[in-house]
Amino acid sequence: MLYVDKHRPRALTELHYHQTLSDRLVALAAHDDFPHMLFYGPSGAGKKTRIMCLLRELYGPATAKLKIDQRVFLNPSKRKIDVNVVSSNYHIELTPSDAGGYDRLVIQDILKEIAQTQQVDTNAKHRFKVVVINEADSLSRDAQSALRRTMEKYMGNLRLILCSTSTSRIIAPIRSRCLLMRVGAPSEAEMTAVLRHVAKRESFTLPDKVASQIFQDSCGNLRKAILVLEALRMQSPDLTGDLSIAKPDWETFAMNTADLITGEQTPARLLEVRGKLYELLVHAIPARLIIKTITDQLVRRVDENLRAHIVQKAAFYEIRCRQGNKAIFHLEAFVASVMAMIKSDMLDMSWE
Ligand SMILES: Nc1ncnc2c1ncn2[C@@H]1O[C@H](COP(=O)(O)OP(=O)(O)OP(=O)(O)O)[C@@H](O)[C@H]1O
């Protein structure tokens, strides 16, 4: 088992950081007027872990007995849509974005079914069942509206726990019906404490230098940090010597793409970059992540006066990617406008 799973805290009291948040969750779980909740925060900050601990606090250790079902739904044109549903006796977990454009259908069907059935375990501490919705921010507006109606209608039998990276893509009526729980990324001291805890349980010592190297590389993502720790141990079991943290292939690829953009600004180069963007997209790297990674790299390579403008363009095209269907159009438009900016800057012309 990987360290991330093996040493994942199981109870709210075992969580290493954001103690006040854990205390609030313990207090909320003790009451029957438990609200709908929205957990948000950056990737790897520990949202999912906290939600699982909360479920355990609500119903006891049986929430860890999970089963996975593959549910089949029929879309209006009778095509099958497969969705994986993870559930215990007390909760059910969905990632509705698995259903692509038919997330509304999945949400409506599953929630209705749960809301209309009573809790099977008559000794359960709470009468309601919990529905955990992962990646709530990638739900379509239609699906979010369906969710909002369900929240009002079935409050008696059902509580929702939404998990997302930001609240900006969640519609206001849902936000206002949920208790917002921000799970921020751990600080250096907090992350180091978790890494040391893992090291202690695996019976090895973690040098300070390696801990700070892992923190710098992880950008606040605890999952990444623990995975890197495990990878480094494979390189050198006592974590001594010259340790190098390997970057994922796609990240190196995105960095090379940024080099291509800053290296030359011609139609031929744009065509070459388009090929690279296609390559990233077919490997299932989300367009949002591509824009973010390339922008991160671009701002390190260009003149100071261009940085803010590039970030502004990135934000603009990120929204376009989300609103439109063909991500490649918007990615390419982003690259073209950045190239135009760099070129105009070199020729001392205005790019606006
Ligand atoms: N409070 C904590 N104390 C110790 N370890 C933690 C804590 N929170 C999370 N972890 C570790 O970090 C890993 C990642 O956490 P988790 O999957 O909960 O993050 P997440 O915010 O849901 O990420 P994502 O948004 O990418 O799904 C877990 O596998 C666990 O090992």
Side-chain angles (χ1 to χ4, degrees):
M1 213 193 232
L2 291 171
Y3 291 172
V4 269
D5 296 321
K6 196 167 155 195
H7 303 295
R8 186 195 280 258
R10 313 259 172 244
L12 285 173
T13 46
E14 290 173 19
L15 292 172
H16 286 83
Y17 52 93
H18 301 333
Q19 193 54 47
T20 34
L21 187 54
S22 307
D23 294 343
R24 269 176 76 194
L25 292 176
V26 172
L28 283 167
H31 294 286
D32 229 13
D33 52 357
F34 185 78
H36 296 301
M37 284 191 181
L38 169 57
F39 282 77
Y40 67 101
S43 181
K47 303 179 291 296
K48 197 61 198 306
T49 309
R50 216 161 271 268
I51 293 173
M52 293 318 287
C53 295
L54 174 62
L55 288 175
R56 191 188 165 108
E57 186 72 27
L58 280 170
Y59 301 106
T63 44
K65 284 192 196 138
L66 299 174
K67 60 178 194 296
I68 303 176
D69 295 319
Q70 196 173 33
R71 301 279 300 265
V72 181
F73 297 86
L74 288 182
N75 72 6
S77 49
K78 302 279 179 265
R79 247 191 59 207
K80 284 184 182 167
I81 311 161
D82 293 325
V83 177
N84 285 328
V85 176
V86 180
S87 60
S88 73
N89 277 345
Y90 308 96
H91 86 285
I92 181 161
E93 196 182 318
L94 306 170
T95 310
S97 47
D98 287 355
Y102 297 105
D103 50 359
R104 183 181 60 86
L105 199 113
V106 174
I107 286 276
Q108 274 180 332
D109 274 22
I110 294 196
L111 292 196
K112 208 162 159 189
E113 180 189 309
I114 298 176
Q116 289 171 348
T117 50
Q118 293 283 334
Q119 183 71 269
V120 241
D121 181 358
T122 44
N123 297 325
K125 279 197 226 157
H126 299 278
R127 259 192 57 223
F128 55 84
K129 266 194 168 189
V130 173
V131 178
V132 179
I133 300 187
N134 294 322
E135 295 175 25
D137 46 352
S138 57
L139 281 174
S140 64
R141 291 212 150 226
D142 265 4
Q144 292 194 33
S145 309
L147 199 62
R148 163 198 170 179
R149 285 191 291 275
T150 324
M151 284 166 105
E152 284 167 353
K153 212 166 159 193
Y154 302 118
M155 184 77 181
N157 283 353
L158 163 98
R159 294 292 188 281
L160 289 175
I161 298 187
L162 309 178
C163 182
S164 80
T165 42
S166 107
T167 55
S168 63
R169 278 180 287 250
I170 309 272
I171 58 171
I174 293 195
R175 264 183 287 162
S176 64
R177 284 170 177 76
C178 289
L179 182 65
L180 301 191
M181 290 284 173
R182 181 169 180 277
V183 184
S187 66
E188 179 160 10
E190 290 164 343
M191 188 179 278
T192 311
V194 175
L195 294 176
R196 288 208 186 287
H197 171 78
V198 172
K200 192 170 162 206
R201 288 181 66 178
E202 290 294 324
S203 324
F204 66 91
T205 42
L206 174 67
D208 288 344
K209 199 176 122 240
V210 180
S212 94
Q213 200 181 342
I214 295 178
F215 173 76
Q216 303 297 340
D217 178 75
S218 67
C219 306
N221 186 330
L222 185 54
R223 181 186 305 108
K224 192 170 170 194
I226 301 177
L227 285 169
V228 166
L229 176 68
E230 190 163 6
L232 290 182
R233 266 213 91 202
M234 300 278 178
Q235 279 181 36
S236 154
D238 53 358
L239 296 174
T240 52
D242 198 14
L243 297 167
S244 67
I245 300 177
K247 289 225 171 295
D249 285 350
W250 71 268
E251 230 174 285
T252 322
F253 198 83
M255 276 187 205
N256 295 343
T257 311
D259 281 335
L260 289 178
I261 299 170
T262 47
E264 187 185 311
Q265 295 80 37
T266 57
R269 183 53 67 89
L270 184 59
L271 199 65
E272 196 181 334
V273 172
R274 180 197 290 174
K276 304 272 177 204
L277 296 173
Y278 263 127
E279 191 83 2
L280 285 165
L281 287 172
V282 294
H283 283 88
I285 309 296
R288 260 187 288 146
L289 197 57
I290 300 179
I291 291 205
K292 183 174 172 290
T293 318
I294 294 185
T295 308
D296 268 357
Q297 296 303 323
L298 284 173
V299 291
R300 287 169 209 218
R301 288 166 172 72
V302 295
D303 249 25
E304 206 170 323
N305 63 330
L306 285 181
R307 286 182 193 155
H309 297 279
I310 290 183
V311 173
Q312 192 190 18
K313 284 278 175 220
F316 177 80
Y317 285 107
E318 205 235 87
I319 296 178
R320 286 275 172 105
C321 281
R322 197 149 31 87
Q323 289 169 338
N325 283 330
K326 290 262 180 208
I328 187 71
F329 292 165
H330 310 298
L331 289 175
E332 199 176 341
F334 168 63
V335 173
S337 55
V338 170
M339 281 185 168
M341 266 187 219
I342 299 176
K343 191 148 192 173
S344 312
D345 188 56
M346 278 194 297
L347 299 174
D348 222 8
M349 284 160 49
S350 160
W351 61 79
E352 279 158 311

